[in-house]
Amino acid sequence: MESDQIQDDSTEKTMSRRGLLGRTATASAVLAVGGRLADPATADAADAAPEPDRGLVDVVLRVNGRVTRLRLDPRVTLLDALRDRVGLTGTKKGCDRGQCGTCTVHVDGRRVLSCLTLAGAVDGRQVTTIEGLARDDDLHPVQQAFLDHDGFQCGFCTSGQIMSAVAVLREGHAGSAEEIREFMSGNICRCGAYANIVDAVQAARAAGVMD
Ligand code: FES
Ligand code: FES
């Protein structure tokens, strides 16, 4: 007898295991349908059931002065909400685990890693992204300083670097190159543009930029 077959001793019939499983599944389906038909109230309730959005939460995101109301899975990060739901892709996803700083944004004026921040946790709070720094056609002075000092190469880390730099200036931690390096140490640049980034921040500080 083949290993995937079952022998029925009483009838001497042979039934394949696949055939047996198929029949069992069919019988279960029939019983399930029969049970539903036997209880019209249950059937009506099932038909009238709303779309499954159980567990979703309503979140009001205030980003760069604009309000967006979202219904989200509570596990959605601020980073994913910004990029996928609000459509602001200037904030980049690098490691997605709090190790590179590429996703840095400001919440109520303080820098946070948006990949480690749940969107629901910033409900109603003021979020600023790289898109919110410029005023109309005028770049923020720190953006301009990065341009003037070639503070980037590929640019992937740059939005996070600039958001951190703005915060470092605001926090008063740009007093020296060493201090800037220390307080921006969470922002990794794979291109190694660190020297020019520090130059840009120092130039912004020398120009009196504090915010
Ligand atoms: Fe958030 Fe790297 S993507 S720290
Ligand atoms: Fe390329 Fe920083 S400019 S990673």
Side-chain angles (χ1 to χ4, degrees):
M1 181 173 65
E2 293 180 14
S3 62
D4 67 341
Q5 291 180 323
I6 296 173
Q7 185 72 37
D8 182 334
D9 291 336
S10 62
T11 62
E12 301 258 323
K13 287 182 187 169
T14 301
M15 180 187 297
S16 74
R17 189 180 299 275
R18 189 174 294 120
L20 176 62
L21 290 173
R23 290 188 189 189
T24 304
T26 302
S28 299
V30 168
L31 287 172
V33 171
R36 184 175 168 197
L37 290 176
D39 185 353
T42 304
D44 290 345
D47 291 343
E51 288 298 308
D53 64 351
R54 288 185 296 275
L56 301 186
V57 294
D58 292 319
V59 177
V60 176
L61 284 187
R62 300 177 187 278
V63 186
N64 304 331
R66 186 168 151 238
V67 175
T68 304
R69 299 176 194 282
L70 299 173
R71 178 160 288 185
L72 297 169
D73 186 306
R75 295 166 295 183
V76 170
T77 64
L78 176 58
L79 174 60
D80 286 339
L82 288 171
R83 291 180 56 83
D84 301 338
R85 301 293 297 274
V86 183
L88 295 175
T89 55
T91 305
K92 302 303 182 192
K93 181 183 285 190
C95 64
D96 204 20
R97 59 182 62 184
Q99 294 178 346
C100 73
T102 300
C103 64
T104 303
V105 301
H106 297 173
V107 175
D108 292 339
R110 300 174 68 90
R111 51 184 165 160
V112 303
L113 297 175
S114 59
C115 72
L116 294 185
T117 304
L118 293 176
V122 301
D123 180 48
R125 298 168 68 186
Q126 300 292 340
V127 178
T128 306
T129 69
I130 190 71
E131 292 92 340
L133 288 187
R135 290 288 169 265
D136 299 323
D137 291 336
D138 295 327
L139 291 179
H140 187 282
V142 175
Q143 291 176 303
Q144 189 61 54
F146 269 67
L147 280 175
D148 294 343
H149 292 268
D150 291 331
F152 54 89
Q153 291 182 35
C154 77
F156 191 80
C157 73
T158 307
S159 56
Q161 300 280 4
I162 290 174
M163 296 309 290
S164 267
V166 170
V168 161
L169 287 159
R170 184 182 296 154
E171 295 160 7
H173 291 309
S176 66
E178 291 71 27
E179 194 177 24
I180 293 167
R181 276 195 280 271
E182 171 68 20
F183 281 87
M184 291 187 62
S185 60
N187 289 83
I188 307 301
C189 176
R190 292 294 297 272
C191 297
Y194 296 112
N196 290 0
I197 290 171
V198 171
D199 285 350
V201 179
Q202 286 192 299
R205 182 177 181 275
V209 178
M210 297 300 293
D211 196 0

